[in-house]
Amino acid sequence: MFSSVLIANRGEIALRVAKTARRLGMRVIAVYSEADADAPFVSFADEAHCIGPAPARESYLVTQRILDVARKTGAQCLHPGYGFLSENAEFAEACAAAGVVFVGPPPSAVRAMGLKDAAKALVEKAGVPVVPGYHGEIQDPAFLKEKAYQIGYPVLIKAVAGGGGKGMRRVDKHADFEEALASCQREAQNSFGDARVLIEKYVTAPRHVEVQIFGDRHGNVIHFFERDCSMQRRHQKVIEEAPAPGMTAEVRAAFGKAAVDAGKAVGYFGAGTVEFIADGSKGLRPDGFYFMEMNTRLQVEHPVTEEITGFDLVELQFRVAAGEKLPVVQEDLRIDGHAVEARLYAEEPERGFLPSTGRLHALRLAEGEGIRIDSGVIEGGEVTPFYDPMIAKVIAHGDNRDEALDRLRDALMASVVAGPKTNTRFLAALLDHPDFRAGKLDTGLIDRNLEALGAVPPALDRVAVTAGALALVAEEKARLHAAAIARSGWLDDPFTEADGFALAPGRRGIARVVAEGEAIGVELDAACEAAPGASGDNARDFTLVGAEDALYVLDRGRQTRIALADPLDVSFDDHGTDAGGNVKSPMHGKLVALFVVEGEAVEKGQRVAIVEAMKMEHPVLAPRAGLVEGIAFEAGAQLGEGVRIMVIAEG
Ligand code: ADP
Ligand code: ADP
Ligand code: MG
């Protein structure tokens, strides 16, 4: 076995590889970009070397910098993880030339499977079923259009050099073909530097079923069963599981043989995944699946296979790279229960799945029976815009599928993430979706059910806002109280006079807050408790996480960010909290100025008075446009919080 490894990757996968390497007794060498200096995979390593600035093109993708570190440190082998340089044959060759063992397949196999068209042609020859279509060399648009017609719509245009779900266009009608082709070619050229495409029949009710294979340098190739990755969005995996729902021993044997044949066709060794598309309209069948592509590396979702087989696939990668034989034969492999993985992302499903970066004020991922967490960030760390915004992979194992799904859903819902928004609730909803539960899977399930899965703009959670406002007001009171005691030296000052939030008994006040960017007033009573009806009847169990600039109110994967409004913010608009046009004192204090007279016309938001409290002036704004009526005080009067100063009548 090797005595040292350089891990040419970052985040959760760098940490996951490092843990196995350490267990196998290796010295762990990390490389990192400036943005990752404080990342857990860096501190975990025995030594770590900075290889450049944040953008991957200037760090994680620079062969020379990485190999310089390998030489300098004397690393015996290099593990590329997934993404980055993991499927780059030139990189694998450069490693060999530098005397470092590349923990991966032979460069020839990487190259053979690198382009989807060549890969299809190659495995087809080995008798593996491929998706019907055209994967030849001719790229003339008229010719391709004719091919699409012959294949029959719907078809899928795919970049031959594509990856990560990019460079694909589904076309349903002959008339739409040219435009889709042009846009696919543009994207392919921009993303992969290669505009060439192939055309495939779009498989109906498609299910993504892939097979984990493993080969050694002694000619053995076996498979570690299948994973179902049909839960996708934009052709990217969201939830993966093993085994595939509805799989039978007979169909599994057909999938396994096709995958192993594909591997043998390229002299494969190491870990690889053969991806198939299955026609799910009539259930999984031995003749109803087709080769799509092969990924010549460790896959993001490899943990579900580890959970059902009991093998550490990274350990096997190291053993194979060191020249050892596979420690197991096909007949000895067994499936134990069911495993499912969810990719927990810093993103907002409610707003088109926009990435949501920033500091993780809290990160408490729920552990539990059968739960495994592969994460690359920690509380206090940051999700940066430079890389994939994945926070963690949460993996659950159970005796059966329902148990695994329940465990994963519970773990997600019990997790606390404050700061970036996450897809936690979306994932949990997906795990509970009746079709998903029933194993009625296809790659369109998510897109068809966005609303049911909660991926729509949410209404503000008023109960959470009230809970947050109460906590913030209590904190502010305590702070003001402490400050007053410090100033006066009196310990028994009941503090009702100077306290900006204290109310006369029986009166109500409004805490002005900004929640999720929306300025609103929350009605509180004299004891600074929520006014009846303001919080709803159901007391919910919130987790509150305070950060420098805001309070995060968390409830089962949902986050409401709330802060006290700046009292001097004249743009603050708490109309709507009083539809009657009442102008109330925002706090206990002195009315130092009145800017309007009876019958005067005012604009919405116009300053009508100033209330002074704690030596600070607080503008009072008209809640709507109208005519001033019922001025109840003269300048100089003492006001309680929430008392009516005047009314703006609709005029
Ligand atoms: P999987 O099937 O394992 O999800 P993908 O092809 O989607 O495989 O990509 C695996 C990982 O590699 C993902 O995290 C993805 O963001 C990353 N990735 C994919 N393509 C590239 C690329 N060209 N450069 C860098 N990273 C990539
Ligand atoms: P990538 O390299 O981006 O992973 P793939 O060829 O693996 O590209 O395809 C990605 C996804 O697109 C698949 O998981 C599947 O959901 C969908 N897909 C690919 N080919 C087809 C097809 N012929 N019919 C239906 N869906 C397909
Ligand atoms: Mg793929």
Side-chain angles (χ1 to χ4, degrees):
M1 185 46 63
F2 305 106
S3 62
S4 60
V5 58
L6 186 154
I7 300 170
N9 214 301
R10 62 174 304 281
E12 67 86 17
I13 193 61
L15 191 58
R16 188 258 166 276
V17 169
K19 285 178 179 166
T20 291
R22 162 101 24 103
R23 184 169 58 71
L24 296 174
M26 283 179 238
R27 179 164 59 100
V28 174
I29 304 156
V31 291
Y32 64 95
S33 76
E34 284 159 15
D36 282 333
D38 298 324
F41 76 89
V42 173
S43 43
F44 183 87
D46 296 302
E47 54 180 291
H49 301 265
C50 185
I51 51 167
R57 302 218 155 281
E58 298 168 42
S59 49
Y60 295 109
L61 290 171
V62 184
T63 301
Q64 214 42 57
R65 299 230 178 106
I66 295 167
L67 290 184
D68 282 348
V69 174
R71 278 194 212 93
K72 197 165 71 187
T73 58
Q76 281 190 339
C77 68
L78 180 147
H79 196 299
Y82 55 72
F84 294 139
L85 294 167
S86 61
E87 292 183 279
N88 183 318
E90 289 78 44
F91 179 70
E93 282 162 349
C95 288
V100 186
V101 177
F102 179 74
V103 181
S108 56
V110 176
R111 200 164 272 132
M113 292 298 185
L115 295 175
K116 293 184 203 287
D117 55 346
K120 279 180 77 173
L122 194 150
V123 302
E124 199 174 18
K125 263 197 238 146
V128 177
V130 301
V131 190
Y134 175 74
H135 47 264
E137 275 169 25
I138 304 172
Q139 295 290 307
D140 170 49
F143 174 84
L144 291 176
K145 187 174 181 183
E146 183 55 28
K147 280 287 168 201
Y149 183 77
Q150 286 166 12
I151 293 162
Y153 291 95
V155 299
L156 195 62
I157 310 175
K158 266 191 201 178
V160 301
K166 272 196 173 168
M168 276 191 263
R169 293 289 183 286
R170 176 182 160 155
V171 191
D172 293 308
K173 298 198 304 281
H174 203 47
D176 297 342
F177 186 84
E178 273 122 337
E179 205 182 312
L181 175 67
S183 103
C184 186
Q185 287 172 324
R186 268 196 308 276
E187 185 173 312
Q189 183 64 46
N190 289 339
S191 302
F192 312 109
D194 185 341
R196 287 177 298 155
V197 299
L198 56 81
I199 298 171
E200 282 181 359
K201 175 93 190 147
Y202 188 86
V203 174
T204 43
R207 277 179 70 173
H208 176 118
V209 179
E210 59 185 33
V211 177
Q212 175 71 57
I213 67 162
F214 238 104
D216 61 24
R217 291 171 191 256
H218 307 273
N220 303 302
V221 183
I222 61 174
H223 69 84
F224 283 68
F225 313 114
E226 78 283 355
R227 295 182 286 256
D228 192 305
C229 313
S230 300
M231 292 304 99
Q232 300 187 350
R233 209 184 65 82
R234 302 231 167 115
H235 307 299
Q236 283 190 286
K237 299 158 187 169
V238 175
I239 284 180
E240 305 102 339
E241 59 182 311
M247 185 61 92
T248 63
E250 182 205 2
V251 180
R252 176 172 293 125
F255 269 90
K257 177 177 185 310
V260 167
D261 286 349
K264 284 187 169 158
V266 291
Y268 205 82
F269 58 76
T273 294
V274 184
E275 295 190 332
F276 297 99
I277 193 90
D279 175 351
S281 56
K282 295 187 210 84
L284 296 174
R285 285 163 296 127
D287 58 352
F289 66 91
Y290 313 96
F291 173 91
M292 273 194 300
E293 66 162 346
M294 177 167 183
N295 293 326
T296 53
R297 55 169 162 86
L298 190 68
Q299 205 92 337
V300 175
E301 56 275 18
H302 75 278
V304 294
T305 300
E306 297 185 323
E307 293 303 309
I308 61 158
T309 61
F311 280 89
D312 178 334
L313 297 186
V314 174
E315 175 179 345
L316 293 187
Q317 285 188 295
F318 281 122
R319 293 203 178 283
V320 165
E324 292 183 25
K325 275 192 175 165
L326 283 172
V328 63
V329 293
Q330 190 71 59
E331 294 69 41
D332 291 343
L333 283 169
R334 293 278 173 277
I335 295 178
D336 167 29
H338 198 95
V340 56
E341 167 184 290
R343 301 187 187 194
L344 180 57
Y345 268 94
E347 66 181 13
E348 266 189 280
E350 299 83 0
R351 297 188 213 290
F353 295 83
L354 253 144
S356 174
T357 53
R359 186 159 305 285
L360 289 156
H361 298 295
L363 178 63
R364 302 197 280 275
L365 300 173
E367 305 281 345
E369 199 182 346
I371 296 295
R372 161 177 168 183
I373 290 164
D374 281 18
S375 170
V377 285
I378 45 168
E379 192 163 293
E382 212 170 323
V383 180
T384 75
F386 299 109
Y387 318 105
D388 185 300
M390 187 157 76
I391 294 173
K393 303 189 298 205
V394 185
I395 305 115
H397 182 256
D399 289 339
N400 53 56
R401 186 168 187 259
D402 269 328
E403 185 173 67
L405 300 189
D406 285 345
R407 283 178 172 171
L408 181 56
R409 183 245 289 119
D410 291 349
L412 287 169
M413 288 310 242
S415 292
V416 170
V417 186
K421 297 283 171 71
T422 72
N423 61 348
T424 307
R425 277 173 89 89
F426 171 78
L427 292 171
L430 185 52
L431 290 165
D432 277 337
H433 190 278
D435 288 347
F436 179 69
R437 277 283 167 160
K440 284 194 221 148
L441 313 177
D442 74 87
T443 58
L445 188 148
I446 288 179
D447 276 339
R448 282 195 308 273
N449 293 287
L450 285 176
E451 209 166 320
L453 298 171
V456 286
L460 193 60
D461 184 347
R462 296 273 166 179
V463 186
V465 173
T466 302
L470 288 173
L472 285 170
V473 166
E475 192 189 334
E476 186 68 0
K477 279 184 75 169
R479 194 180 63 75
L480 293 172
H481 200 156
I485 290 168
R487 216 174 33 241
S488 66
W490 294 349
L491 283 172
D492 56 354
D493 179 0
F495 199 56
T496 47
E497 285 309 304
D499 182 345
F501 297 100
L503 304 177
R507 286 260 166 72
R508 289 182 181 186
I510 302 220
R512 304 189 344 154
V513 299
V514 178
E516 292 298 305
E518 201 182 310
I520 53 171
V522 177
E523 268 198 277
L524 305 180
D525 70 9
C528 276
E529 276 164 11
S535 71
D537 300 318
N538 51 332
R540 278 155 56 187
D541 219 356
F542 293 109
T543 301
L544 305 183
V545 175
E548 312 84 63
D549 56 340
L551 180 71
Y552 294 86
V553 183
L554 304 165
D555 173 38
R556 297 173 61 80
R558 179 156 185 189
Q559 169 176 302
T560 305
R561 186 179 188 279
I562 168 169
L564 288 179
D566 178 352
L568 298 179
D569 180 2
V570 288
S571 67
F572 189 92
D573 172 16
D574 53 10
H575 98 109
T577 59
D578 195 331
N582 292 318
V583 177
K584 297 173 178 174
S585 175
M587 54 206 32
H588 190 99
K590 184 174 168 186
L591 182 65
V592 292
L594 258 179
F595 299 114
V596 291
V597 293
E598 288 282 327
E600 189 173 330
V602 294
E603 296 296 317
K604 177 179 165 188
Q606 182 177 331
R607 190 176 62 159
V608 294
I610 288 182
V611 174
E612 185 193 272
M614 302 291 293
K615 302 265 178 282
M616 291 213 298
E617 293 192 347
H618 304 278
V620 180
L621 309 181
R624 66 180 180 199
L627 300 177
V628 174
E629 271 180 13
I631 297 180
F633 300 93
E634 287 178 8
Q638 282 293 331
L639 307 177
E641 181 180 279
V643 304
R644 191 169 71 200
I645 307 171
M646 67 187 80
V647 177
I648 309 298
E650 270 170 319

